[in-house]
Each structure stands twice: as C-alpha cells, then as structure tokens.
Amino acid sequence: MGAESISYGLTNQDDITMTYWNGTILGPPHSSHENRIYSLNIVCDESYPDKPPKVTFVSKVNLPCVDSAGNVLIANFDTLKNWKRSYTMETVLLELRKCMASPSNKKLAQPSEGSTY
C-alpha cells in the first residue's frame, strides 16, 4: 500500500493557519471498497500535532471506527487513540485504508457509491 492510494491538500490554498484539509482514499483492492474513492475532511486545530486532527468522511462508509455522521471515532481507531506527534495526515489516511482492507472490514456492506453525509 503505497502513498499513491491516498492524497491530501489544503481546502483553501490561502489558509495560512493550515487548519482545513481535504483527504482522499482509494478503496483497497479485493474488498467491498474496491474502485471507490472516499473523500474526507481533516481539521488540524491549534492542538495539532500534540493532539490528533479531527477526521470526518464526506463519502458514506461503513466502518466500525466511523459514526453515523461520518466522524472517525478516536476511541475506535488506534491511530488517533494512540496518537504520536510524529504521525501525519498521511499516516491517518493510510491507516484508515488499512482498516478498510482488514479481514473483519473488507467485506462489510457499503452505502451506495457516491452517497455523502
């Protein structure tokens, strides 16, 4: 799983605080996410990188670590729960993609493609 499977960038190029980001995850192959593109919003407030960013799926997804509003739940996602300063947005997106590909999640039924929160 290389970094070509994810991307991220500032929502607004003029955001000098570098707070609001968009992320994209390409669904892992051999899973119910295959050939899907998931969009996410990432907010890095003043506590980042000491505390994890707030990560929300825009694209609907069925994962145990995502609530009914698309929020990635810190308590249910180890990367955010065990946050380290050295982690980056790339770390978060790659770990979410890994979560999609895990044996317990890769066959979960997914909302219709293109649906959003």
Side-chain angles (χ1 to χ4, degrees):
M1 277 196 268
E4 68 277 358
S5 58
I6 57 124
S7 67
Y8 55 94
L10 280 169
T11 303
N12 175 352
Q13 298 307 314
D14 299 330
D15 179 4
I16 58 167
T17 62
M18 294 174 49
T19 303
Y20 299 99
W21 296 78
N22 294 323
T24 305
I25 298 174
L26 299 180
H30 316 297
S31 74
S32 54
H33 307 280
E34 188 166 24
N35 297 324
R36 288 186 173 213
I37 297 172
Y38 293 94
S39 297
L40 301 89
N41 288 327
I42 304 164
V43 178
C44 300
D45 64 18
E46 60 283 341
S47 64
Y48 179 85
D50 294 316
K51 296 219 169 11
K54 183 179 184 325
V55 183
T56 310
F57 275 84
V58 175
S59 309
K60 282 197 173 177
V61 66
N62 178 17
L63 285 174
C65 63
V66 179
D67 71 12
S68 61
N71 300 301
V72 177
L73 301 168
I74 291 175
N76 297 11
F77 184 54
D78 285 343
T79 306
L80 297 182
K81 185 167 63 180
N82 303 313
W83 184 255
K84 294 180 174 64
R85 253 189 91 94
S86 60
Y87 289 172
T88 64
M89 281 178 271
E90 184 173 328
T91 310
V92 172
L93 293 170
L94 286 172
E95 289 301 316
L96 278 169
R97 188 170 189 268
K98 229 183 260 179
C99 177
M100 291 174 173
S102 75
S104 58
N105 296 334
K106 71 179 189 181
K107 297 297 181 197
L108 286 176
Q110 294 302 316
S112 50
E113 194 164 359
S115 54
T116 56
Y117 290 102

